[in-house]
Amino acid sequence: MCGIVGYLGTEQAYPILIKGLKRLEYRGYDSSGVALLNEGEIEISKCRGKVSDLEDHLAGKVPEGVVGIGHTRWATHGPPNDINAHPHASGDGTLALIHNGIIENYATIKEELINRGHVFKSDTDTEVLTHLIEDIRTKTGVDLFEAIRLALSEVHGAYAIVVIDKKNPDMMIAAKKSSPLVIGIGGNGEFYVGSDATPIVEYTKNVVYLEDEEVALMDRKSGLKIVTIQNKEKVPYIQELEIKLETLEKGGYDYFMLKEIYEQPRSIIDCFRGRMNLQKGEIRMSGIDDNEEKWINAKRVIIVACGTSWHAGLVAEYLFEDIARLSVEVEYASEFRYRNPIINKDDIVVAISQSGETADTLAAIEMAKKQGAHIFGVCNVVGSTISRTTDSGAYTHAGPEIGVASTKAFTAQVTVLTLMALTVAQKRGTITDARLHRLIAELNSIPDKVTEVLKTNDQVEYISDIYKNATNALYLGRGSSFPVALEGALKLKEISYIHAEGYPAAEMKHGPIALIDEEMPVFVIATHGQSYEKVVSNIQEVKARKGKIIAIVTAGDTAVKGMADHVIEIPKTDETLVPLVSVIPFQLLSYHIAVMRGCNVDQPRNLAKSVTVE
Ligand code: M6R
């Protein structure tokens, strides 16, 4: 989704802005732009396409100035083109503004401004906000900071904005509501702004996460001042950033997605740290320990999430119900928030989100909070909005995930959710010591098993080559392998643009079986476990209709091998934990097919890494 970078300091701003925009590319965007303030003038340069297109456009005439803002836009109002790209200027040309989010009442404001003589160039809500600020400043004579505060008290919706002003070359102003914004504080009166910390981390570790409805004035002389929209001054809370620069680089891989797939043995171990004690056969999760009574007495867990995180939630449904004997509902956050659901005080709402910024998940949390439920967050991005909004939580510690297609975040989420289910089961007395010890030992072996599965990469690449031109694909699984089938299908469609569906294997005969012919690849999880024989029958049903079977099987399997067109072996794993291992070949498969089809693996079309609008 849109990205923001800003700089006020002593260095030339343009290289800092461009580097920052490149670091934000992973969020997905369709146009980009910069505005620099130099010798009392603001120069805005923007165009449709990639940041590299903007650089080409500016080759030989790089804008100068030590104050500037940059933006990557993901179109919401009006098509992706040069005019709708940010920054936007006010009508009198004094201001330049960048914006993430959506101003919901922009049409009414625009009409009023047009009646007062304002002329708009773009289709965007952002340009309307820029004119509104200008209008208030001119009409009332207040300073820019106050004009921004007053303008923001008139708008509804979500925003993270940064404004520069040619009348005030020593300052930059930022504000946010429901869209994240981080301010970095450098030496020598320097300030950085980012929609997340990635464009800032290279320069400073000292950051302030703006809260909703706060306006921040960054002034070269007087420093940082924060005031709420309601005009209450706040003391800036400076935190230290934990992310390391190296974790944002590709580290020798062609794509971030591949790097992130290969990072999984490490990221799963990172999830265990400080939580799992193999020797003692114990798991401790402070977010649960601190709210022990709530978990012991909970009647129900409601999981809210979107996309891949929702799939992790579906895996958790099996884990919590089986291990902790706790009833679970898994909801699409986008549906839940508008459904007037029944939420009881003894429900625990678990919000799962890699980015911690997904608008629908955030809104679902807010709603559940109002109804008195305890909210537990499972987030990857430290300091993200969701992680700060929830009552308690557990970070997944997977490190920055840059590829739009979620991979290591999924396995980290499932790992944390497994640890949670085991912790709750210990507290509720629903697990025997023997099973607990067995599962802890099994969980501990998962990173090695993932490493083993990663060795199938060449074989998966070979299979990918055979099916790269398919137009449809079906993914089947039973039990907790069903969410893995959904996840496999999502991975394939989102990065290689092949239509794919995930189904519980037994549901196939209630409809999708009509699609099966010799052109249809059917990816099946057929690992050993209680539904193995049933899945074997489903495979036979596909074969009888000449479908192509690519099966993920337990090492040493013979029955499926005899029927399938291809088998990919994974190490023998306790059924409860199979999703952590069986998802890996699907991730590799979608990666290879996307590369072979010439797709942009890390930034697939129309997609954003964090979906901060509903
Ligand atoms: O940051 P979140 O986990 O809240 O994001 C949810 C989805 O937008 C995300 O998982 C999306 O489905 C990914 N592109 C899947 O690979």
Side-chain angles (χ1 to χ4, degrees):
M1 204 111 296
C2 308
I4 280 180
V5 55
Y7 176 72
L8 166 76
T10 47
E11 305 291 320
Q12 280 302 311
Y14 179 73
I16 296 172
L17 299 179
I18 289 292
K19 204 180 228 185
L21 291 180
K22 287 188 173 163
R23 291 214 190 282
L24 290 167
E25 282 189 309
Y26 76 93
R27 295 164 72 101
Y29 69 105
D30 44 51
S31 51
S32 65
V34 291
L36 283 101
L37 178 51
N38 191 29
E39 296 180 353
E41 287 304 323
I42 292 179
E43 188 180 340
I44 296 181
S45 320
K46 52 189 188 170
C47 67
R48 186 187 172 158
K50 297 283 167 201
V51 177
S52 55
D53 296 318
L54 179 68
E55 281 185 290
D56 291 347
H57 174 69
L58 291 172
K61 44 181 174 108
V62 164
E64 292 190 357
V66 293
V67 185
I69 51 180
H71 192 259
T72 48
R73 172 177 187 251
W74 189 79
T76 55
H77 295 69
N81 60 29
D82 296 359
I83 294 172
N84 288 332
H86 300 204
H88 286 281
S90 53
D92 61 5
T94 53
L95 306 176
L97 182 149
I98 50 177
H99 165 221
N100 286 0
I102 289 178
I103 307 297
E104 282 165 7
N105 56 338
Y106 86 103
T108 328
I109 299 173
K110 187 172 185 176
E111 207 179 306
E112 283 167 17
L113 290 171
I114 290 173
N115 290 339
R116 284 215 290 282
H118 285 259
V119 177
F120 292 93
K121 295 183 181 137
S122 76
D123 309 310
T124 64
D125 51 342
T126 305
E127 193 186 11
V128 174
L129 178 59
T130 319
H131 279 241
L132 178 66
I133 296 169
E134 173 206 337
D135 194 72
I136 293 174
R137 172 155 83 164
T138 322
K139 208 170 57 188
T140 62
V142 295
D143 64 20
L144 179 63
F145 190 65
E146 181 63 359
I148 290 177
R149 191 185 71 76
L150 292 173
L152 293 176
S153 58
E154 281 186 35
V155 304
H156 308 156
Y159 56 78
I161 60 166
V162 190
V163 188
I164 54 171
D165 175 17
K166 71 182 193 184
K167 293 185 184 167
N168 289 291
D170 286 329
M171 70 184 209
M172 181 162 73
I173 297 175
K176 80 143 245 164
K177 183 182 174 193
S178 305
S179 208
L181 208 60
V182 193
I183 295 175
I185 303 168
N188 309 320
E190 282 175 308
F191 289 100
Y192 304 84
V193 184
S195 41
D196 63 39
T198 51
I200 298 178
V201 61
E202 184 169 352
Y203 308 103
T204 178
K205 294 261 183 234
N206 297 326
V207 295
V208 174
Y209 287 94
L210 273 194
E211 296 292 337
D212 276 353
E213 304 203 327
E214 286 182 351
V215 191
L217 170 70
M218 289 154 273
D219 188 299
R220 210 189 286 282
K221 293 171 195 142
S222 57
L224 178 65
K225 172 182 158 184
I226 298 180
V227 167
T228 66
I229 302 289
Q230 296 74 26
N231 211 8
K232 256 182 55 198
E233 187 145 358
K234 297 282 271 307
V235 181
Y237 171 54
I238 302 173
Q239 301 183 38
E240 198 172 322
L241 271 183
E242 282 175 15
I243 46 172
K244 294 195 187 83
L245 192 59
E246 314 81 85
T247 60
L248 301 175
E249 313 284 1
K250 278 192 206 142
Y253 288 91
D254 289 341
Y255 291 94
F256 280 112
M257 183 184 176
L258 191 62
K259 173 183 172 239
E260 287 156 7
I261 291 173
Y262 274 87
E263 276 172 356
Q264 290 176 105
R266 166 61 39 199
S267 53
I268 294 172
I269 292 174
D270 287 343
C271 289
F272 298 158
R273 279 185 211 290
R275 293 168 173 159
M276 199 167 82
N277 187 326
L278 194 61
Q279 275 73 41
K280 288 192 185 161
E282 232 182 43
I283 296 181
R284 300 192 68 86
M285 305 218 44
S286 57
I288 294 178
D289 295 342
D290 297 347
N291 298 282
E292 191 171 78
E293 288 306 309
K294 285 201 161 62
W295 283 94
I296 291 174
N297 299 321
K299 297 277 177 305
R300 186 174 59 152
V301 169
I302 303 173
I303 296 180
V304 291
C306 305
T308 289
S309 300
W310 183 75
H311 297 156
L314 289 176
V315 176
E317 182 174 17
Y318 291 89
L319 295 167
F320 273 88
E321 293 199 340
D322 175 30
I323 305 173
R325 303 305 295 144
L326 192 47
S327 157
V328 177
E329 280 175 30
V330 189
E331 304 271 357
Y332 281 120
S334 54
E335 289 296 315
F336 183 75
R337 64 182 287 196
Y338 287 118
R339 217 192 49 221
N340 194 15
I342 297 161
I343 305 170
N344 302 310
K345 296 218 166 17
D346 47 16
D347 286 336
I348 295 183
V349 172
V350 176
I352 310 174
S353 174
Q354 186 285 129
S355 62
E357 303 296 348
T358 301
D360 283 320
T361 310
L362 199 50
I365 293 171
E366 300 290 359
M367 190 186 69
K369 233 182 184 180
K370 282 195 193 119
Q371 298 192 38
H374 179 77
I375 320 285
F376 190 98
V378 176
C379 292
N380 191 38
V381 177
V382 177
S384 56
T385 310
I386 293 178
S387 69
R388 288 180 285 127
T389 311
T390 43
D391 298 313
S392 58
Y395 281 118
T396 46
H397 297 311
E401 189 179 67
I402 309 291
V404 164
S406 207
T407 52
K408 63 174 178 171
F410 175 78
T411 46
Q413 286 165 343
V414 174
T415 305
V416 165
L417 290 160
T418 309
L419 293 169
M420 285 171 65
L422 290 171
T423 310
V424 174
Q426 291 171 99
K427 295 189 188 301
R428 289 168 68 94
T430 55
I431 189 164
T432 61
D433 280 352
R435 187 172 187 210
L436 178 66
H437 286 129
R438 204 174 57 245
L439 283 176
I440 291 178
E442 185 70 23
L443 198 51
N444 192 53
S445 73
I446 294 293
D448 286 343
K449 291 182 178 169
V450 171
T451 305
E452 214 36 51
V453 181
L454 288 169
K455 293 182 187 154
T456 64
N457 181 50
D458 289 351
Q459 186 201 359
V460 176
E461 189 174 4
Y462 169 80
I463 296 171
S464 305
D465 194 42
I466 299 173
Y467 297 103
K468 65 176 185 287
N469 295 322
T471 44
N472 292 292
L474 199 58
Y475 284 72
L476 302 176
R478 291 183 87 127
S480 61
S481 292
F482 160 54
V484 177
L486 290 175
E487 177 60 7
L490 175 63
K491 288 289 87 90
L492 189 68
K493 64 187 139 194
E494 73 178 325
I495 62 165
S496 64
Y497 319 141
I498 294 175
H499 172 241
E501 296 285 344
Y503 261 91
E507 272 295 303
M508 183 184 60
K509 55 184 160 303
H510 298 285
I513 199 162
L515 294 168
I516 292 174
D517 61 16
E518 58 277 11
E519 301 297 320
M520 176 69 102
V522 181
F523 299 92
V524 190
I525 301 146
T527 46
H528 290 165
Q530 58 169 346
S531 354
Y532 175 72
E533 268 96 29
K534 309 260 176 222
V535 176
V536 169
S537 306
N538 299 136
I539 290 175
Q540 277 161 340
E541 288 158 10
V542 173
K543 282 319 293 173
R545 285 150 188 93
K546 299 196 169 63
K548 300 282 182 292
I549 289 284
I550 305 96
I552 294 179
V553 299
T554 306
D557 178 279
T558 48
V560 177
K561 250 185 204 158
M563 288 175 239
D565 297 273
H566 312 275
V567 292
I568 301 162
E569 289 194 349
I570 63 170
K572 187 172 174 353
T573 306
D574 187 296
E575 216 181 336
T576 323
L577 303 180
V578 162
L580 287 166
V581 187
S582 59
V583 74
I584 310 292
F586 287 162
Q587 296 172 345
L588 288 169
L589 183 100
S590 57
Y591 167 79
H592 287 299
I593 292 186
V595 171
M596 287 169 190
R597 289 167 70 97
C599 300
N600 188 340
V601 171
D602 285 334
Q603 291 158 38
R605 70 183 180 205
N606 306 338
L607 278 175
K609 181 67 185 163
S610 66
V611 183
T612 51
V613 294
E614 65 169 293

